[in-house]
Amino acid sequence: MNRIDQRFAELKAQGRKALIPYLTAGDPGPEHTVGFMHALVEAGADVIELGVPFSDPMADGPVIQKACERALAKGVRLSHLFEMVAEFRRQDATTPVVLMGYLNPIERLGYAAFADAAAEAGVDGVLIVDMPPEEAEELGPILKARGLAMIFLVAPTTSEARAATICAHGEGYLYYVSLKGVTGSANVDAGDVASHLAPLRGLTDLPLCVGFGIRDGASAAAVGGVSDGVIVGSALVSRIAEGAAAPEGIAPVLKKVLGEMRQALDA
C-alpha cells in the first residue's frame, strides 16, 4: 500500500485529522531542508509536501514566490529534491512525501526519468498545479506503474461535472483550495469550506484536505472540523524567511507553529 493511503487509513482508525505542512525545498539553503522535514514530523506532521522551486509559481502568493526565488538563487533544481527525499528516508521510512510544483521541470527531465527518480528516492505522490486530469493521460499511468499517487486540486469555482472528472483521476487525497486567490492571501471560512466539501463527498472516497488560509491553531481546528486534513504552507514558509539570517533557529520555530496546529486539531 502506498504510504499516503496507509497514513490516511491509520488516521481514520484513530479518528484524527491529517496535518500536512508544505516547505519550498532549498529555502533558505538546500542543506537545511531535510532537517526541517524531520522537525515537522516531530511536531506532528502526517504528510509532507515538498515544493519544487519554480520561476513562475502561478498559484502561489508572494511568500512562496520569494521562497522559490531564494532556493533557485542557491542553485536548487528538481534533481536536488530527489537527493533530499533519499536522505530523509534514511531516518524516516514511514512519513509520506509529496512533491508539489509545476509541469515545466518534469517535462524537461522527462516523464519516465522523473517517475523513476522519484520512486527510487522514496517519494509517494505528485501534485502538479498546472496539469489538469485531461492532460495527464501520459504521465498518470507512468506514475501509477511506479506506485506514485497523482494528487489533484479542486477549487471553489470548480463545477460539479469537472469535480467528478478530477475525483475519478485523483489518488492519495484531494487538495481543496479553500479560497479564490493565491496562497497566503486571505483567512479561511470553515463554513464556506464545509458547503463545498459536502458535494465532493458524494463524488469520491478520497480524503478531502484543505489548503490556503490555514494560519494558526484556530484556523486549523476550524477547517479540520469539516475536512479530513489541513495543509499549511505560507504560515511556515514566512517563518523560514524571517529566520533566514540565522537558519539554525528556524527548526524550533517551525516545530512550535506546527505543534500548536497539531494540538488544536487533536483537541
Side-chain angles (χ1 to χ4, degrees), residues 68-145:
C68 287
E69 291 172 3
R70 290 191 295 270
L72 291 170
K74 294 284 187 176
V76 177
R77 300 296 182 265
L78 179 56
S79 59
H80 297 113
L81 273 77
F82 302 137
E83 297 170 4
M84 292 171 184
V85 176
E87 182 182 345
F88 175 76
R89 286 281 172 244
R90 295 187 190 111
Q91 293 184 46
D92 190 321
T94 59
T95 303
V97 175
V98 172
L99 297 189
M100 182 174 182
Y102 297 84
L103 185 58
N104 185 274
I106 297 172
E107 285 196 326
R108 184 173 182 180
L109 180 60
Y111 289 169
F114 167 78
D116 286 340
E120 183 178 354
V123 173
D124 303 288
V126 179
L127 198 167
I128 305 170
V129 176
D130 53 349
M131 174 169 269
E134 295 88 348
E135 298 178 15
E137 293 181 353
E138 182 181 355
L139 178 58
I142 291 173
L143 295 176
K144 193 176 186 71

Side-chain angles (χ1 to χ4, degrees), residues 6 31 38 69 84 93 95 106 114 129 136 140 149-150 184 188 207 214 224 228 267:
Q6 179 67 36
E31 68 273 18
H38 287 305
E69 291 172 3
M84 292 171 184
T95 303
I106 297 172
F114 167 78
V129 176
M150 193 157 194
V188 64
I214 310 298
D228 300 306

